[in-house]
Structures are given as structure tokens and as C-alpha cells.
Amino acid sequence: MTGFLAYLAYFLAGYTALTLAFYMLSVVVPKAAFVARVLASYICLMIAALFGVFASIGLRIAGNGQIAQWAVARCFAYIMVLTTGISFEVEDPKRHLETVRPAVFIGNHQTELDVLMLGWMFPKYCSVTAKSSLKKTPFLGWFMTLSGSIFIDRKNTKDARDVMQGAAEEIRAKRQSVYMFPEGTRSYSKEPELLSFKKGAFHLAVQAQVPIVPVIAANYSHILWVKGLVFNAGRIPLKVLDPIPTTGLTSDDVDELTRSTRELMLKEIFALTAKARGHAVAVPAGKTNSVAKVTGVDLKVAA
């Protein structure tokens, strides 16, 4: 055990020194800041995940297991702002994050930095959905399993159906909210954009008869743009939109619900980005209506 702790201490000291070296180098070579913040982000994620393992166990024992992901999200947000200088400014004047429960929260998916976005806005009594392959990831997978994440096996549609049906039941029984990215993947766009929406989140909300709460972030390519090796400090605006009720809706209404929600979110993303940049942002033709066909997991949710 002593040997392990010694190796861990050497590793952390070396990792910290390397990160600081790249930060210092960025004074003369700006692109070095990208490497420095990537290194800082990974160690922050590992620290938060390790904290999450113990926090999940402790909170479960104390009977508060449902807030484990909220606690770890805040932990990650605070250490990231200290090590990278990046934060999200949450605009939620009606306090929907605190008062709407249960719900299906959804948001736009830009880059890996969206994990930090969750750190700043993630509500209590909420869990995330994740690919089942993440279960095997050290620390992060352990934490997600212990804290009640909903894993979806995209290669096994039968399991996906069971997971989604179980999620709807858990939402109703435990008043547990869920956060999902309906785009299904990151856009990595330099300008405001939403990819086609998959319908799983909307089927889940309708099946559970709970509201959908969109949470949108302005385009932040000036903070992180992977293709250009840009990774800067700064504050990113985030806005919580009004809940969209699903009471009385059925699977027949999901297409229109998905389309109208995406259209609303895209409009708000352009407005928020324009506000953050201080000038108008043109909306490209053909960007206002794009809904993916019902496939894979989405078919299972409707079943």
C-alpha cells in the first residue's frame, strides 16, 4: 500500500509539473494552452470521479443517493474553474432547475466541455444516461454505476427497450429526473448549430408523462475549438427554458414534439450566442427543421 501511494504521489507531482510547464509555455506559444487545459481537465475529471465513488457510497448509506451526481457535478465545476479558468453562467430566473421535478432535461451537445456545463447546472435528484461501455471505465464508470446512471446498450436493442421502460418507471416512482443530449453526439461546430434530434428523450418524457426542460448553451468555439487547438479561459452563458408539458401526449405526438422543441432550442441558441458575442448571428438556410428517423433505441422507447 505504501508503495502504491508513493507511485501515486510521483505521478501527481509529475502530472502537475507537466501541466504547469505547458501553462508557462503558453505565454510565448499560445497553442500550448490547449495542451495545458486538456491535461488539467483530465486530472479534474479523475479527481471528481474518484470523489464520486466515495460520495455515492456515503450518500447511499445516508439515504441521499439521488443527489450523488449533483454533488459530484458541483465538485467538478469548482475544481475546473480553479485549474482552467472556465465556468458557465446559468440563467434560470424562474428557478426551473430547483422547482421542476421530475423532468427530462435536454441540452445541445457541442464538445467534451459539456461535462463541465453539467457541472454548473445539474439539478438535484437527477441522473444521466450513458453508453454501457462506460461502465468499464475506471473511476468514472464506478461512480456512474454507484450513483444510479441509466446505461444504454446501443448494440443490444432489447436491453435498450428494457432500460428506457425502467427509466420511465423510476422517474415516476422516485421523482428522479434524467438529463439527455437528444443530438446523440457532439457537433464540434464553430457556429451555433443543432444536429438532428433522436427521439429517445421525447418518448421517455411522454411515457413518464413528465415535462421536458430544455437547457441551452451559447456556442463556445472561442473557448474550445478542437480542430483549431483553441482552449481558453472564460465564462459561457447557459439558459434554462420554460418546461414543455407532455401530460396527455402519446407516442403519436412525439414527432411534432421533437420538431417544435428542436426549433425552439435552435432559435434560443442563436439568440444567446448573439448576446454573448455582442452582434447578430445569421441563421443558415435549412437549419431550422431536422428530426432524425426513429431507429434503434428510439423504436424501443415507443414500444
Side-chain angles (χ1 to χ4, degrees):
M1 184 65 178
T2 303
F4 170 76
L5 292 176
Y7 280 121
L8 181 61
Y10 284 131
F11 168 77
L12 291 176
Y15 197 102
T16 301
L18 182 62
T19 304
L20 291 174
F22 274 104
Y23 269 125
M24 290 187 288
L25 181 62
S26 68
V27 175
V28 292
V29 183
K31 294 296 184 184
F34 179 87
V35 180
R37 288 193 170 85
V38 167
L39 290 172
S41 299
Y42 275 119
I43 196 66
C44 287
L45 186 61
M46 285 190 287
I47 291 171
L50 182 59
F51 166 75
V53 173
F54 294 103
S56 298
I57 294 172
L59 288 169
R60 275 197 171 192
I61 293 173
N64 291 314
Q66 286 179 288
I67 66 170
Q69 294 195 11
W70 168 83
V72 176
R74 292 299 184 272
C75 169
F76 182 62
Y78 297 149
I79 58 177
M80 275 288 286
V81 74
L82 289 175
T83 58
T84 67
I86 303 170
S87 63
F88 283 78
E89 185 175 5
V90 182
E91 181 184 338
D92 185 20
K94 297 181 182 179
R95 300 174 61 197
H96 293 318
L97 294 177
E98 300 177 30
T99 59
V100 181
R101 173 190 172 204
V104 174
F105 292 89
I106 61 173
N108 53 317
H109 204 6
Q110 299 183 59
T111 72
E112 289 80 359
L113 200 60
D114 291 335
V115 176
L116 179 58
M117 180 270 292
L118 294 179
W120 285 97
M121 60 69 56
F122 207 74
K124 291 182 178 179
Y125 306 102
C126 187
S127 64
V128 297
T129 59
K131 294 183 293 185
S132 58
S133 59
L134 283 177
K135 283 183 179 181
K136 300 177 181 179
T137 304
F139 302 121
L140 179 62
W142 302 340
F143 155 64
M144 296 183 78
T145 300
L146 287 169
S147 60
S149 297
I150 298 172
F151 292 99
I152 299 174
D153 186 352
R154 294 179 180 176
K155 295 180 180 179
N156 190 324
T157 55
K158 184 178 185 297
D159 286 349
R161 178 196 305 166
D162 295 338
V163 167
M164 283 299 189
Q165 289 176 341
E169 294 171 2
E170 188 169 344
I171 286 173
R172 291 190 296 264
K174 297 183 178 179
R175 300 188 65 224
Q176 179 87 2
S177 298
V178 172
Y179 191 97
M180 302 180 73
F181 292 109
E183 291 168 278
T185 189
R186 305 172 191 90
S187 64
Y188 292 112
S189 177
K190 196 172 183 180
E191 296 298 329
E193 183 180 5
L194 276 178
L195 302 179
S196 299
F197 273 13
K198 295 182 178 3
K199 302 174 188 176
F202 302 91
H203 276 295
L204 180 59
V206 168
Q207 191 171 332
Q209 291 288 282
V210 299
I212 294 168
V213 182
V215 182
I216 54 105
N219 180 273
Y220 55 70
S221 58
H222 63 295
I223 299 291
L224 176 61
W225 186 39
V226 177
K227 292 180 180 179
L229 298 182
V230 173
F231 204 175
N232 300 316
R235 293 176 66 83
I236 301 166
L238 185 74
K239 184 177 181 180
V240 183
L241 307 184
D242 289 335
I244 300 171
T246 64
T247 303
L249 299 184
T250 68
S251 59
D252 293 336
D253 302 303
V254 167
D255 281 358
E256 175 58 25
L257 178 64
T258 305
R259 186 203 62 78
S260 61
T261 302
R262 183 186 179 278
E263 193 171 273
L264 169 66
M265 289 175 64
L266 186 59
K267 177 182 176 182
E268 291 288 346
I269 290 168
F270 272 96
L272 191 61
T273 301
K275 180 180 178 181
R277 294 181 179 179
H279 60 79
V281 179
V283 182
K287 290 288 185 181
T288 58
N289 187 15
S290 183
V291 178
K293 291 183 178 181
V294 180
T295 59
V297 170
D298 298 320
L299 276 174
K300 306 310 180 226
V301 178

